[in-house]
Amino acid sequence: MTQGVDVVVVGGGQAGLAAGYHLRRQGVDFVVLDAEVTPGGAWQHTWDSLHLFSPAAYSSLPGRLMPTQRGETYPDAGHVVEYLAEYEKRYELPVQRGVHVHAVRRDGARLRVESDGGTWRARAVISATGTWSRPFLPAIPGQDLFAGRQLHTVGYRRPADFAGQRVIVVGGGNSGAQIAADLALDGVDLMWVTQRPPRFLPDDIDGRALFDVATARRRALDAGRGDTGGVASLGDIVAMPPIRAARDAGLLAAKPMFTQLTTTGVQWADGTRAQADAIIWCTGFRPALSYLAPLQLRGRRGHIAIDGTRAVDEPRLHLLGYGDWTGPASATLIGVGRPARDAARAISQLLGARRL
Ligand code: FAD
């Protein structure tokens, strides 16, 4: 069955909900299609001990402050899931769950959105599919040789799953540091490996600063004042309380990156070896955009060329929430509101112009 609608939002995590909030304010007819069967986007799949790197009041979507979580300065992932579920209900956002979109195609004046739950013909599409479903693993020689267990950040849940094992955590970003700290503080035999020495943000800086810095960078770039370096100029790792605890206990001394895997572990260029039962690759994510392939918009580094959030070569398509390239700090709860508002306004104008 094919249904008509003004706008399809693909993805019902925080970015899709923020888009829905602003589309509703613009009076636009829309539907949100989400592959998950329950609300909360990627937050429902993170590891048990994950806490936000900003307090609740600095982690809110447009319109509704995130309530504080009792006893926690930094809310946990479960609290975020509850907040998103409540947000969706409060604003009566039309989210259809368990619907996976596999293609968007041009279809005359419309975009044809094909999913396992039916087909929609839309005047515009907002892509808000996040990155969690596209974990990135670097290619390392010997990867197929290793007889132990290899998993990505997305597969990690808790230290108890690695009790009595030798674990290597790869990656010097927030996920790598947090998972390394989680394991180390639980007494797991841990080796942390990073491509360059870990760069901790000053202890008194949390996620709030990241948003400010990303915004200042965008403003400087837009005003032609040059690149201020953004968040990366401060450091890579927010020194959350467990990270500080593990670091100060001497449990987070990182080793440089190895050059290959062996059947029993890893090996460095000078021939040094280390044994491992498991390797956890905390090596990042890529935007989940493969369903847009029929539009043939892929540019450099897998990114689609955009102006604000609008695809340069397909003005009926907006991209939301994938990182600074789709708006300053747009891959954060607090940062996605502004680009969501801009996308909804631009779409409302586009639809208005077409209706004339
Ligand atoms: P997601 O939450 O991934 O939602 C996308 C939704 O789209 C999912 O439900 C998915 O199933 C669905 N989807 C994907 N493809 C399709 C398809 N083809 N068809 C239909 N549905 C589809 N941000 C903060 O603000 N504070 C933090 O402290 C913080 N900590 C983080 C810690 C970690 C470890 C990570 C990985 C991220 C963290 N972030 C944090 C960043 C950010 O808030 C999350 O990545 C957030 O989940 C991104 O939201 P999203 O809506 O863009 O994507």
Side-chain angles (χ1 to χ4, degrees), residues 10-16 33-36 40-43 47 50-54 99-101 128-133 175 285 288 291 320-321 331-334:
V10 184
Q14 63 201 38
L33 306 179
D34 189 33
E36 297 289 340
W43 295 105
W47 57 94
L50 180 77
H51 283 67
L52 291 183
F53 48 61
S54 306
V99 178
H100 183 263
V101 174
T129 49
T131 58
W132 189 260
S133 60
S175 303
F285 299 85
Y291 75 103
L320 199 59
T332 64
L333 285 151
I334 195 169

Side-chain angles (χ1 to χ4, degrees), residues 224-263:
R225 293 198 302 269
D227 196 344
T228 55
V231 172
S233 63
L234 285 180
D236 299 320
I237 300 163
V238 182
M240 297 290 291
I243 290 180
R244 267 182 259 159
R247 183 198 62 195
D248 296 348
L251 300 171
L252 284 187
K255 293 218 176 327
M257 188 61 192
F258 47 81
T259 49
Q260 67 180 84
L261 270 66
T262 65
T263 50

Side-chain angles (χ1 to χ4, degrees), residues 39-312:
W43 295 105
Q44 23 186 346
H45 302 295
T46 58
W47 57 94
D48 295 354
S49 70
L50 180 77
H51 283 67
L52 291 183
F53 48 61
S54 306
Y58 297 87
S59 306
S60 302
L61 293 182
R64 166 109 176 102
L65 262 188
M66 181 186 285
T68 50
Q69 184 178 15
R70 191 188 293 244
E72 303 282 359
T73 306
Y74 299 100
D76 64 23
H79 188 73
V80 182
V81 172
E82 278 172 32
Y83 168 71
L84 294 179
E86 195 268 337
Y87 186 91
E88 181 178 322
K89 219 188 273 171
R90 181 187 186 92
Y91 294 111
E92 297 179 348
L93 301 177
V95 185
Q96 297 198 18
R97 286 241 142 66
V99 178
H100 183 263
V101 174
H102 42 79
V104 173
R105 302 176 198 282
R106 294 188 182 88
D107 186 3
R110 299 254 177 171
L111 290 171
R112 192 180 160 83
V113 180
E114 297 171 1
S115 82
D116 54 14
T119 300
W120 278 261
R121 293 185 75 242
R123 292 172 200 270
V125 167
I126 295 182
S127 181
T129 49
T131 58
W132 189 260
S133 60
R134 265 201 75 202
F136 172 74
L137 286 160
I140 302 275
Q143 217 144 15
D144 297 338
L145 291 177
F146 181 60
R149 185 173 163 213
Q150 292 188 65
L151 61 158
H152 184 269
T153 308
V154 298
Y156 175 73
R157 290 292 168 275
R158 60 191 70 87
D161 297 338
F162 301 91
Q165 297 182 21
R166 296 157 301 181
V167 181
I168 296 178
V169 170
V170 184
N174 284 298
S175 303
Q178 288 191 26
I179 290 176
D182 202 31
L183 291 163
L185 291 171
D186 207 70
V188 172
D189 182 352
L190 167 81
M191 180 185 288
W192 185 29
V193 174
T194 60
Q195 209 146 29
R196 59 179 180 184
R199 300 189 316 146
F200 296 98
L201 288 154
D203 287 2
D204 57 345
I205 288 191
D206 64 18
R208 285 171 278 195
L210 303 186
F211 175 67
D212 293 342
V213 171
T215 305
R217 180 189 192 203
R218 173 49 53 202
R219 289 209 179 115
L221 287 172
D222 289 350
R225 293 198 302 269
D227 196 344
T228 55
V231 172
S233 63
L234 285 180
D236 299 320
I237 300 163
V238 182
M240 297 290 291
I243 290 180
R244 267 182 259 159
R247 183 198 62 195
D248 296 348
L251 300 171
L252 284 187
K255 293 218 176 327
M257 188 61 192
F258 47 81
T259 49
Q260 67 180 84
L261 270 66
T262 65
T263 50
T264 56
V266 300
Q267 182 172 322
W268 283 264
D270 66 1
T272 313
R273 289 178 167 223
Q275 311 282 304
D277 300 298
I279 300 173
I280 306 178
W281 297 94
C282 302
T283 40
F285 299 85
R286 296 289 180 264
L289 298 174
S290 57
Y291 75 103
L292 296 174
L295 298 175
Q296 297 189 310
L297 299 170
R298 299 307 285 272
R300 286 171 52 221
R301 296 175 58 219
H303 289 183
I304 291 172
I306 52 172
D307 178 10
T309 56
R310 183 176 52 82
V312 171

